[in-house]
């Protein structure tokens, strides 16, 4: 695994000062302000993207648009100056094909639902430049998580609506993790098409496998179809379920963040000879088949990430 550079205390003092205007917009804005329980969850779920272009079907004209690369969840951390909103997502969402961290991202919130990805390209956030980095990770490189302070490159317009943050009371106890538990997953899978990239897609599933020990190190599995774009998306328990101690629960809990989906690797055979196809180098061609199982970083690791970030900021 790679060794990851962590931003220094000095840099965090810099970005805290830069975030004062942004943080004041977020202060005390929790997801309780939404109308329904599932809208509450969508309000804290953010799409992560980049600026891209596509050629028109009926002309040679190119159109710019907001292209989905992943999903994130808004939390907040406290420091001496107030409340700082941060976006937590899967670490690989902000890496390119060579595992290098990209320079910037764009994000859209659920309250931008009426704006096409061709009309609104999201809010740009710089992740790194020659002087500093604007993201934070744990020293353990096996944990696929990153926290990004919401420092916009340009000040939002006067019509900017304050996004929501997931309250800390949503973090669960361990008895919420059991096989067969009903869950929902929110995210922005790219395959659904441009028209449906403006609000988090909700899918239902169950927890399919939980390690007997060391949940934080081994992660857990969900039986729910997740696809590219779901990475970094939240997993929530559903109200009115039975917990491991057989008591009836009625609260939504934040269980973790999707970081991977599992595949079968199947050989591709010639129809007549039943001989495997090979590429020009002689390597057998494999077809990837999603088995509908996702891998999730448990909430315990997200809480650890936020607590460590808060410690650094308050030094």
């Amino acid at each position: 695994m790679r060794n990851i550079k962590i931003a220094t205390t000095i840099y965090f003092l810099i970005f805290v000062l830069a975030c004062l205007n942004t943080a004041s917009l977020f202060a005390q804005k929790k997801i309780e302000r939404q109308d329904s329980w599932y809208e509450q969850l969508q309000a804290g779920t953010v799409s992560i993207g980049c600026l891209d272009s596509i050629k028109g079907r009926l002309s040679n004209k190119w159109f710019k648009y907001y292209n989905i690369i992943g999903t994130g969840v808004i939390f907040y951390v406290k420091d001496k100056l107030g409340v700082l909103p941060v976006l937590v997502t899967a670490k690989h969402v902000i890496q390119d094909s060579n595992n290098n961290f990209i320079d910037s991202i764009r994000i859209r919130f659920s309250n931008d639902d009426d704006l096409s990805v061709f009309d609104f390209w999201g809010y740009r956030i710089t992740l790194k430049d020659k002087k500093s980095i604007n993201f934070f990770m744990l020293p353990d490189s096996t944990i696929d998580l990153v926290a990004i302070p919401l420092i916009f490159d340009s000040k939002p317009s006067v019509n900017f609506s304050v996004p929501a943050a997931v309250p800390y009371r949503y973090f669960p106890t361990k008895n919420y993790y059991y096989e067969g538990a009903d869950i929902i997953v929110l995210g922005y899978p790219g395959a659904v098409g441009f028209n449906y990239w403006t609000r988090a897609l909700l899918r239902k599933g169950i927890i399919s496998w939980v390690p007997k020990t060391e949940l934080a190190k081994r992660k857990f599995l969900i039986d729910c179809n997740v696809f590219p774009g779901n990475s970094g998306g939240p997993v929530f328990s559903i109200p009115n379920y039975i917990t491991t101690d057989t008591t009836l629960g009625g609260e939504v809990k934040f269980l973790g963040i999707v970081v991977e989906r599992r595949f079968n690797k199947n050989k591709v055979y010639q129809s007549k000879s039943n001989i495997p196809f090979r590429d020009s180098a002689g390597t057998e061609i494999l077809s990837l088949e999603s088995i509908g199982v996702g891998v999730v970083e448990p909430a315990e690791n997200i809480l650890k990430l936020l607590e460590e970030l808060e410690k650094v900021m308050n030094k």
Side-chain angles (χ1 to χ4, degrees):
M1 300 299 291
R2 300 173 300 279
N3 292 320
I4 304 298
K5 180 181 178 182
I6 299 178
T8 64
T9 304
I10 294 176
Y11 173 65
F12 277 107
L13 292 177
I14 293 173
F15 79 60
V16 166
L17 291 174
C19 246
L20 284 177
N21 290 336
T22 304
S24 65
L25 294 172
F26 286 76
Q28 305 304 317
K29 301 291 185 177
K30 311 291 192 302
I31 63 178
E32 289 90 336
R33 294 200 171 194
Q34 302 301 312
D35 294 331
S36 64
W37 69 271
Y38 61 87
E39 287 175 327
Q40 293 176 13
L41 307 184
Q42 286 175 320
T45 306
V46 174
S47 71
I48 302 174
C50 63
L51 186 59
D52 210 336
S53 58
I54 189 171
K55 194 173 184 179
R57 292 181 180 179
L58 303 178
S59 69
N60 290 324
K61 185 177 180 180
W62 287 84
F63 298 90
K64 291 183 178 180
Y65 71 103
Y66 173 86
N67 192 11
I68 296 288
I69 62 173
T71 304
V73 192
I74 300 175
F75 296 92
Y76 59 89
V77 293
K78 296 179 180 179
D79 73 342
K80 298 175 183 177
L81 301 177
V83 176
L84 175 67
V86 296
L87 181 67
V88 177
T89 186
K91 185 166 53 181
H92 69 265
V93 167
I94 63 169
Q95 293 175 307
D96 61 22
S97 57
N98 295 317
N99 295 324
N100 297 316
F101 289 96
I102 58 180
D103 295 333
S104 66
I105 58 172
R106 291 175 181 265
I107 62 173
R108 285 180 48 132
F109 303 104
S110 62
N111 50 21
D112 301 321
D113 185 31
D114 58 339
L115 301 174
S116 163
V117 295
F118 290 94
D119 297 329
F120 177 55
W121 303 332
Y123 302 97
R124 190 177 187 273
I125 297 175
T126 296
L127 296 180
K128 63 185 179 73
D129 55 30
K130 294 180 180 180
K131 296 182 180 179
S132 58
I133 59 174
N134 184 38
F135 52 87
F136 179 84
M137 294 162 294
L138 293 168
D140 186 350
S141 61
T142 64
I143 297 177
D144 190 6
L145 295 172
V146 63
I148 304 169
L150 291 185
I151 306 173
F152 303 124
D153 286 4
S154 59
K155 188 175 181 179
S157 68
V158 293
N159 296 323
F160 177 76
S161 297
V162 177
V166 175
Y168 279 78
R169 65 178 177 80
Y170 276 40
F171 281 87
T173 57
K174 289 186 177 180
N175 68 332
Y176 283 83
Y177 295 95
Y178 66 95
E179 291 156 12
D182 289 330
I183 53 98
I184 61 170
V185 175
L186 291 170
Y188 293 84
V192 299
F194 298 125
N195 293 336
Y196 306 101
W197 287 357
T198 58
R199 188 172 71 247
L201 187 73
L202 185 153
R203 308 194 81 165
K204 186 178 178 182
I206 62 169
I207 294 178
S208 55
W209 184 86
V210 179
K212 297 298 183 183
T213 60
E214 298 184 318
L215 173 63
K217 291 184 178 180
R218 302 183 66 187
K219 306 177 179 51
F220 67 96
L221 303 182
I222 57 172
D223 187 352
C224 184
N225 279 320
V226 292
F227 295 92
N230 275 112
S231 288
V235 178
F236 292 97
S237 63
I238 298 179
N240 299 320
Y241 52 85
I242 297 176
T243 62
T244 51
D245 60 4
T246 68
T247 59
L248 186 66
E251 291 185 309
V252 173
K253 292 295 181 181
F254 167 70
L255 300 181
I257 281 178
V258 175
V259 293
E260 186 184 346
R261 62 172 175 159
R262 292 295 189 182
F263 293 94
N264 273 332
K265 294 182 179 180
N266 303 313
K267 292 182 180 180
V268 180
Y269 292 92
Q270 300 178 36
S271 59
K272 294 183 179 180
S273 62
N274 204 31
I275 298 174
F277 277 105
R278 297 178 182 272
D279 61 20
S280 58
T283 304
E284 290 184 346
I285 296 175
L286 299 177
S287 172
L288 297 180
E289 175 192 11
S290 175
I291 63 173
V293 171
V295 182
V296 183
E297 286 279 6
E300 179 180 342
N301 286 344
I302 290 88
L303 184 59
K304 184 187 304 182
L305 176 73
L306 295 171
E307 289 175 343
E308 290 303 313
L309 172 56
E310 199 166 85
K311 286 180 184 178
V312 173
M313 292 177 57
N314 286 283
K315 283 185 178 179

